[in-house]
Amino acid sequence: MNQAASYLCPMEDLLKQIQNYKQEISSTVAVDPDSLEAYRIRFLGTKGIVKNLMGEMRNIPAEKKKEFGQVLNEFKLFAESKYETWKQSVTGSGLQKEASGSMDLSLPGDPLPLGTRHPISLVRNRIIHIFGRLGFSVAEGPEIEDDWHNFTALNLPENHPARDMQDTFYINRNPDWLLRTHTSSVQARVMEKQKPPIRIICPGRVYRNETISARANCFFHQTEGLYVNEQVSFADLKQTLYFFVQEMFDKDVKIRFRPSYFPFTEPSAEMDISCLICGGKGCQVCKHTGWVEILGSGMVHPRLLENFGIDSNKYTGFAFGMGVERICQLKYRINDLRLYSQNDVRFLRQFTNAI
Ligand code: DAH
């Protein structure tokens, strides 16, 4: 071996060794604390391979020191990062504890935070269930409505004073669009597509431009009902709603109808139930009348049926609309509408399984 070859040899040899060590590390997995520690001592310990290779630096000729230094440094980082990765998986996953038998498998698990149903959802689902038993199916419609379905088709032409009963949010981009003010718009959409018999309820959110307070909000929830068939009478309306309140509240609840006005029904009536708080004797909730109003209703106006090509000589129908928050208020004694949208879990948690 000549002179030149003899001082090149250690570096080549060392590079080969480093290559082999890298392969060895790559094919190794430390799965328990003992093998991890053995790895640390062999490669990273004070008398370990990395330290030894560092010591070889002095045998490397000056002009090669930089190159060898870089390879060595890279190898050192490689060996250290493997160690850190294994260390995390060995200690972090609990394998260490398991291996030493110190994990107590009988301990209870960490509790999972479970959500609860919103009172509005609970009441809406109950309404759907009760009317479902009477053969009503659920129909839905868009919250951004057009003038026709929300007003005109329901016998509320432009400039009709009854439009003022519902302060409306209009959409800037198109004066014909609005946020529906009631779920009666779904009645219109169903009659447009379906021929009698029609028996639907339409639960959903509605919007009105009102100042937010304990008694008003800019949105709330309604459930509309519609039954159109041959020979549907006011007696059917009465009995259907009577069944509903008995199921929803209590068998002893009484109902009464007061004449009213809605453009889409004729005759129209508001329905009250006997006060659940005082049983009809008179209290603050019923303003000492013994009765609380819960919904609007009536016989579908013949003009509506004709608007949708339904023969009003052959078919009649009844409709009603109720506020879900109102039913909630009576059922759970919630007296501030704002509570429904504040998302305070201490409030929301109180109603699970209460229905
Ligand atoms: N749409 C009415 C409202 O929002 C409620 C209503 C009353 C709906 C009578 C009806 C009905 O279908 O027949 O105030």
Side-chain angles (χ1 to χ4, degrees), residues 166 181-182 184 187 208 222 224 262 264-265 296-298 319-321:
Q166 304 178 356
T181 57
H182 51 186
S184 308
Q187 269 194 46
R208 291 189 196 174
Q222 286 190 333
E224 182 86 8
F262 298 104
F264 21 89
T265 43
S297 64
F320 57 88

Side-chain angles (χ1 to χ4, degrees), residues 6-261:
S6 75
Y7 72 70
L8 274 179
C9 217
M11 174 144 152
E12 275 176 8
D13 188 40
L14 289 171
L15 290 175
K16 185 129 192 56
Q17 278 184 35
I18 290 174
Q19 196 57 32
N20 290 342
Y21 286 138
K22 273 180 135 179
Q23 271 173 12
E24 181 189 330
I25 294 173
S26 297
S27 57
T28 307
V29 182
V31 288
D32 56 58
D34 291 344
S35 57
L36 183 71
E37 183 59 2
Y39 170 85
R40 191 192 64 77
I41 293 168
R42 177 162 150 74
F43 283 94
L44 306 170
T46 39
K47 290 186 184 139
I49 287 165
V50 170
K51 271 272 154 56
N52 281 345
L53 288 168
M54 296 277 189
E56 292 290 339
M57 255 325 230
R58 61 176 180 269
N59 300 326
I60 303 294
E63 72 276 15
K64 294 278 178 186
K65 272 196 195 310
K66 193 174 167 208
E67 185 193 336
F68 183 69
Q70 273 175 354
V71 175
L72 193 55
N73 203 36
E74 189 205 312
F75 173 63
K76 179 174 174 263
L77 292 175
F78 176 72
E80 283 174 350
S81 79
K82 282 285 176 191
Y83 176 72
E84 287 305 322
T85 313
W86 288 330
K87 191 171 147 192
Q88 270 187 11
S89 66
V90 166
T91 52
S93 69
L95 274 173
Q96 185 182 17
K97 292 183 207 153
E98 196 176 21
S100 60
S102 63
M103 194 163 90
D104 185 353
L105 293 171
S106 66
L107 285 174
D110 291 334
L112 285 176
L114 280 185
T116 56
R117 284 222 191 280
H118 195 284
I120 299 281
S121 304
L122 288 171
V123 167
R124 185 200 52 208
N125 292 347
R126 181 90 184 121
I127 295 172
I128 292 173
H129 175 77
I130 296 170
F131 283 103
R133 288 175 59 199
L134 295 175
F136 285 77
S137 55
V138 173
E140 287 183 320
E143 289 182 16
I144 299 178
E145 242 326 340
D146 52 38
D147 183 282
W148 167 255
H149 292 99
N150 195 80
F151 288 131
T152 310
L154 298 175
N155 209 19
L156 275 137
E158 215 181 321
N159 302 324
H160 192 291
R163 283 195 183 202
D164 297 343
M165 284 159 62
Q166 304 178 356
D167 289 318
T168 310
F169 286 114
Y170 286 92
I171 311 270
N172 271 347
R173 264 176 58 195
N174 186 336
D176 192 45
W177 292 347
L178 47 90
L179 296 182
R180 69 177 176 198
T181 57
H182 51 186
T183 43
S184 308
S185 54
V186 187
Q187 269 194 46
R189 287 188 173 271
V190 171
M191 284 197 274
E192 199 169 59
K193 291 225 174 69
Q194 210 177 305
K195 292 290 153 238
I198 295 170
R199 193 157 26 189
I200 49 153
I201 52 163
C202 324
R205 189 177 297 160
V206 301
Y207 301 83
R208 291 189 196 174
N209 190 359
E210 290 190 23
T211 314
I212 299 170
S213 70
R215 318 188 97 235
N217 202 351
C218 53
F219 70 88
F220 59 100
H221 300 78
Q222 286 190 333
T223 298
E224 182 86 8
L226 173 71
Y227 179 39
V228 182
N229 207 348
E230 288 178 47
Q231 295 181 345
V232 177
S233 71
F234 203 97
D236 297 317
L237 167 65
K238 253 179 129 173
Q239 187 55 34
T240 302
L241 293 177
Y242 185 53
F243 175 78
F244 165 69
V245 294
Q246 288 199 315
E247 290 294 304
M248 181 52 111
F249 299 110
D250 188 11
K251 289 277 175 241
D252 295 330
V253 174
K254 296 186 193 68
I255 58 171
R256 80 171 181 190
F257 287 82
R258 279 178 294 108
S260 183
Y261 170 76

Side-chain angles (χ1 to χ4, degrees), residues 331-343:
K331 196 150 179 80
Y332 299 131
R333 321 268 150 96
I334 299 167
N335 53 11
D336 190 331
L337 276 178
R338 290 166 294 195
L339 288 166
Y340 294 118
S341 44
Q342 279 166 349
N343 275 342

